[in-house]
Amino acid sequence: MVREGKPCLYIRLRRKASVRKGNVVHLRHIAQIFVEPEYEKALNELVIHHPQHEDGNRVLIDMMLIVRKVKDLYPQLQIEHFGEPHVLLEIISDPRKPSPILIGLVWLLLFIGSGLAIMNFHADVSMLEVHQRIYELMTGKKVEHPLILQIPYSLGIGVGMVIFFNHLFKKKFNEEPSPLEVEMFMYQENINHYVITEEYIKIHEKGDRP
């Protein structure tokens, strides 16, 4: 309940935020705020955290820390919080220039691996024999390599993969996420959940120390 006559700070933390390595974390980096104009600038520039080397590349900032920082600056402010009780802060290092040799090696590895997977699958299901039988049923002739079926089938595999993953290099055909993007999103969500749990354990351990 907000007391009459006292200014109020409405705050909503972002689910995830990022800051470059070596920079301090201000409130504007991790939250959206609504407050009286005379408090807004100072609160946006309020320093919440100084990233340290031992923090690694992810830091959990809890709402209680923000409340303490705000109350130290403006004790008279009433705080109304919406949304998540924490924000996961990612410390970003300066990006490295990608190595063409490394990119080429990864591309070659993926190309060979995917090719072997497709060939092994076709060997398991006897795809060549299936094509030979289909060609024999359609034409009445038996041939060793029914190219009229194999060539369109091979092209169809490539086209089907492009449509399935909804990507051709950097171009997307529509706004729907591809299965790979969904899997990557779920993977990232699981990582974030794990990091948040571990960070809360560390916070509680620090709080229990005399």
Side-chain angles (χ1 to χ4, degrees), residues 93-107:
S93 302
D94 293 330
R96 297 179 180 177
K97 188 176 180 180
S99 170
I101 297 176
L102 182 59
I103 292 175
L105 289 174
V106 172
W107 179 87

Side-chain angles (χ1 to χ4, degrees), residues 17-146:
S18 59
V19 66
R20 285 205 170 274
K21 189 175 182 178
N23 295 346
V24 296
V25 181
H26 299 277
L27 184 59
R28 59 185 168 83
H29 292 142
I30 60 175
Q32 295 175 303
I33 65 171
F34 181 77
V35 70
E36 297 296 329
E38 59 265 29
Y39 301 104
E40 185 173 359
K41 183 177 180 180
L43 286 172
N44 275 323
E45 297 301 322
L46 177 63
V47 176
I48 301 298
H49 183 68
H50 293 269
Q52 305 295 325
H53 178 72
E54 57 269 18
D55 291 337
N57 60 353
R58 286 183 175 88
V59 179
L60 184 71
I61 298 180
D62 189 62
M63 187 62 201
M64 293 302 296
L65 172 63
I66 298 174
V67 170
R68 287 196 297 269
K69 296 281 186 178
V70 171
K71 285 294 185 178
D72 288 342
L73 184 63
Y74 295 119
Q76 74 277 18
L77 275 182
Q78 299 293 315
I79 300 175
E80 289 287 330
H81 165 245
F82 303 94
E84 298 285 343
H86 50 252
V87 55
L88 187 60
L89 182 69
E90 184 178 6
I91 311 298
I92 301 176
S93 302
D94 293 330
R96 297 179 180 177
K97 188 176 180 180
S99 170
I101 297 176
L102 182 59
I103 292 175
L105 289 174
V106 172
W107 179 87
L108 183 63
L109 179 64
L110 293 175
F111 179 79
I112 295 174
S114 59
L116 288 173
I118 293 173
M119 287 188 290
N120 289 334
F121 167 75
H122 286 170
D124 288 340
V125 299
S126 302
M127 188 62 69
L128 177 59
E129 295 178 10
V130 172
H131 284 172
Q132 291 171 344
R133 182 59 178 159
I134 292 174
Y135 184 85
E136 184 180 1
L137 291 173
M138 294 176 62
T139 65
K141 299 178 181 179
K142 188 171 183 179
V143 295
E144 186 176 356
H145 297 291

Side-chain angles (χ1 to χ4, degrees), residues 164-167 172 174-191:
F164 180 74
F165 287 106
N166 194 24
H167 266 90
K172 290 187 69 174
N174 53 55
E175 295 301 319
E176 293 183 3
S178 69
L180 182 60
E181 289 173 327
V182 173
E183 287 299 321
M184 290 299 295
F185 174 79
M186 295 302 298
Y187 175 72
Q188 188 62 52
E189 285 292 302
N190 289 334
I191 289 179

